[in-house]
């Protein structure tokens, strides 16, 4: 926490000449979860999302729709050209969709989709709709990553219980974008954002280089950026280690290629630290690194003698950012002692209106009967 930390915010605006030169085309493959867990409001939300996407596709593209559960089905034997006739046929089929295909087995339909030959000049865009309740998340994400050169994956988590690991993992490894659709969200804005991203050309050859004084080294805290879209913010956190004068300057260079057009952006920054920041950027960087370590720990559990976990706990305690292995604990404000004893459940009544308009409120209290106290971090 004593070293300088830099946050680079990327909010690209691609040149209009490049964007207009790219035709609105592609092969859009929609994969919808039709397992039993998608019943009722979830399947309705997924259908509404899919219907909106179907009505918004550009003429001349190609598309197909798959449904999966214990088995999988598709509307067309292979992707067909998007015309008024094929769109109306697809809309009728989607209206009849039900959550009636049994369990959740997304791996087999994915394998089938990836074995289908790509259509020349029609880049494949995979849209996945699921509540995320699968037991082989890592296998699914690995398969998406293995085939990321031939497609981009845009994932939609349906319902409040959707697995963020699956939804975010598929989008990240597939070079796409993730969205979560719940009952209170504005579905149309999120769906159209993902479609706009899918119609943009793929950013390739992305690189970040640092030009620093030779006595200063850089450690990137955030994972590599796998996708870049116009109008979508991406963040890079880096820790600078070593001695340098406050008058020194550094430079970060971002390079990428879009539709065959190379682009380069440079940002110069001073080593003079900002005042009164409260270590906000440090904690944001720590949170990003903690999230990456948590994923690494889950994937390598039992293979590294707990070294990743130890590093994660150490970073969490030092930065004051909670993790899956640490927690904030209650401390008695009078004697600064940790409150001991088993957890006690208290049912707090929800506010309800009385006849004369007054309101009853439940006030949470500590289990020792006192109202004072404050959270304090500690490993658990």
């Amino acid at each position: 926490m004593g070293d300088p930390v830099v946050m680079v915010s990327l909010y690209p605006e691609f040149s209009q000449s490049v964007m207009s030169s790219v035709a609105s085309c592609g092969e859009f493959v929609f994969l919808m979860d039709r397992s039993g867990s998608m019943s009722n409001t979830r399947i309705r939300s997924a259908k509404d999302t899919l219907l909106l996407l179907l009505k918004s596709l550009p003429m001349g593209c190609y598309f197909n729709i798959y449904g999966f559960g214990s088995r999988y089905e598709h509307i067309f034997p292979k992707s067909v050209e998007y015309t008024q006739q094929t769109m109306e046929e697809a809309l009728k089929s989607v209206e009849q969709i039900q959550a009636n295909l049994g369990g959740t087995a997304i791996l087999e339909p994915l394998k089938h989709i990836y074995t289908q030959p790509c259509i020349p000049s029609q880049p494949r865009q995979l849209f996945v709709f699921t509540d995320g309740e699968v037991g082989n998340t890592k296998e699914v994400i690995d398969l998406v990553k293995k085939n990321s050169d031939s497609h981009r994956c845009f994932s939609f988590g349906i319902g409040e219980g959707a697995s963020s690991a699956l939804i975010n993992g598929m989008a990240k490894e597939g070079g796409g974008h993730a969205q979560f659709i719940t009952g209170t969200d504005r579905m149309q804005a999120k769906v159209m954002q993902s479609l706009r991203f899918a119609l943009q050309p793929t950013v390739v050859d992305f690189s970040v280089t640092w030009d620093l004084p030779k006595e200063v080294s850089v450690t990137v805290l955030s994972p590599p950026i796998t996708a870049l879209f116009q109008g979508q913010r991406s963040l890079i956190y880096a820790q600078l280690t070593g001695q340098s004068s406050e008058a020194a300057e550094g430079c970060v260079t971002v390079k990428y290629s879009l539709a065959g057009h190379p682009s380069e952006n440079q940002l110069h920054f001073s080593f003079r630290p900002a005042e009164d920041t409260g270590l906000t950027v440090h904690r944001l960087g720590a949170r990003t690194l903690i999230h990456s370590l948590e994923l690494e720990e889950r994937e390598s559990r039992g293979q590294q003698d707990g070294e990743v976990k130890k590093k994660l706990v150490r970073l969490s305690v030092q930065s004051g950012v909670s993790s899956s292995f640490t927690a904030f604990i209650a401390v008695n404000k009078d004697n600064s002692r940790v409150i001991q004893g088993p957890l006690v459940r208290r049912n707090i009544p929800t506010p309800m209106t009385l006849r004369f308009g007054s309101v009853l409120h439940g006030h949470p209290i500590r289990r020792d009967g006192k109202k004072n106290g404050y959270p304090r971090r500690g490993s658990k």
Side-chain angles (χ1 to χ4, degrees):
M1 302 296 285
D3 291 327
V5 173
V6 177
M7 180 182 72
V8 182
S9 177
L10 304 176
Y11 194 84
E13 293 184 7
F14 304 140
S15 65
Q16 188 59 38
S17 60
V18 174
M19 295 297 290
S20 60
S21 66
V22 181
S24 296
C25 60
E27 178 195 7
F28 296 86
V29 181
F30 303 100
L31 180 59
M32 176 177 286
D33 188 345
R34 290 176 53 186
S35 62
S37 62
M38 284 284 291
S39 59
N40 301 323
T41 57
R42 292 185 179 184
I43 194 67
R44 182 69 257 175
S45 178
K47 288 165 60 175
D48 290 343
T49 305
L50 180 53
L51 289 171
L52 180 58
L53 280 168
L54 284 174
K55 295 176 182 178
S56 305
L57 292 178
M59 286 292 178
C61 73
Y62 288 74
F63 78 105
N64 202 355
I65 301 172
Y66 287 75
F68 72 92
S70 300
R71 64 184 192 279
Y72 64 89
E73 302 174 351
H74 42 72
I75 294 180
F76 304 106
K78 62 180 182 178
S79 295
V80 297
E81 185 176 355
Y82 182 79
T83 63
Q84 186 69 29
Q85 179 181 349
T86 56
M87 180 193 70
E88 291 177 356
E89 184 178 347
L91 292 177
K92 291 179 182 178
S93 298
V94 172
E95 288 287 1
Q96 305 302 317
I97 284 178
Q98 297 180 14
N100 58 355
L101 293 185
T104 306
I106 190 175
L107 207 58
E108 291 306 314
L110 277 177
K111 290 179 180 178
H112 173 80
I113 292 170
Y114 292 142
T115 58
Q116 303 302 303
C118 293
I119 302 173
S121 302
Q122 301 287 344
R124 178 173 291 169
Q125 318 289 340
L126 176 63
F127 285 71
V128 180
F129 307 84
T130 180
D131 59 0
E133 296 181 6
V134 298
N136 54 350
T137 299
K138 187 177 185 304
E139 288 183 76
V140 172
I141 294 176
D142 288 345
L143 182 63
V144 172
K145 181 178 181 179
K146 181 181 178 181
N147 293 273
S148 58
D149 291 340
S150 63
H151 83 297
R152 286 188 295 189
C153 182
F154 297 84
S155 52
F156 293 82
I158 307 298
E160 289 78 1
S163 167
S164 59
L166 177 68
I167 303 303
N168 290 326
M170 292 182 70
K172 177 179 178 294
E173 299 299 346
H177 188 256
Q179 299 277 20
F180 290 86
I181 308 296
T182 63
T184 58
D185 287 337
R186 294 180 56 192
M187 177 183 68
Q188 183 173 359
K190 291 190 173 186
V191 171
M192 297 312 296
Q193 182 188 50
S194 289
L195 182 58
R196 286 195 301 270
F197 289 167
L199 291 173
Q200 293 181 20
T202 302
V203 171
V204 296
D205 299 330
F206 185 88
S207 67
V208 180
T209 55
W210 301 82
D211 184 11
L212 305 170
K214 58 183 179 181
E215 64 272 16
V216 178
S217 61
V218 61
T219 301
V220 179
L221 305 177
S222 47
I225 294 177
T226 56
L228 200 63
F229 298 104
Q230 177 165 290
Q232 177 69 20
R233 182 194 301 272
S234 298
L235 297 175
I236 301 173
Y237 294 95
Q239 183 179 27
L240 307 178
T241 307
Q243 298 296 324
S244 66
S245 65
E246 292 188 354
E249 283 194 348
C251 177
V252 57
T253 303
V254 176
K255 296 181 181 180
Y256 57 85
S257 181
L258 179 71
H261 295 75
S263 179
E264 178 177 323
N265 294 276
Q266 283 190 341
L267 176 66
H268 294 267
F269 57 91
S270 170
F271 275 66
R272 183 187 302 275
E275 297 180 357
D276 301 326
T277 62
L279 297 179
T280 300
V281 175
H282 288 72
R283 291 193 170 93
L284 289 172
R287 183 182 66 174
T288 301
L289 182 55
I290 285 172
H291 179 66
S292 298
L293 289 173
E294 286 175 336
L295 294 177
E296 182 182 346
E297 198 278 335
R298 280 199 294 267
E299 293 179 357
S300 63
R301 186 165 295 172
Q303 299 178 8
Q304 298 185 14
D305 299 325
E307 288 301 318
V308 176
K309 179 179 177 180
K310 292 177 182 177
K311 182 179 180 181
L312 202 160
V313 170
R314 185 168 60 251
L315 174 61
S316 177
V317 173
Q318 288 178 357
S319 64
V321 178
S322 62
S323 70
S324 55
F325 297 104
T326 56
F328 287 84
I329 59 175
V331 175
N332 190 314
K333 195 173 181 180
D334 292 335
N335 56 24
S336 298
R337 293 182 179 176
V338 176
I339 298 175
Q340 303 293 335
L343 295 177
V344 178
R345 175 183 176 128
R346 292 190 183 276
N347 295 319
I348 307 299
T350 55
M352 60 181 179
T353 304
L354 301 181
R355 183 191 306 176
F356 299 105
S358 61
V359 178
L360 285 177
H361 292 282
H363 295 280
I365 62 174
R366 292 154 48 102
R367 58 171 169 262
D368 58 3
K370 297 180 181 181
K371 293 184 180 179
N372 56 0
Y374 57 93
R376 187 173 178 181
R377 72 176 183 270
S379 60
K380 183 179 180 182

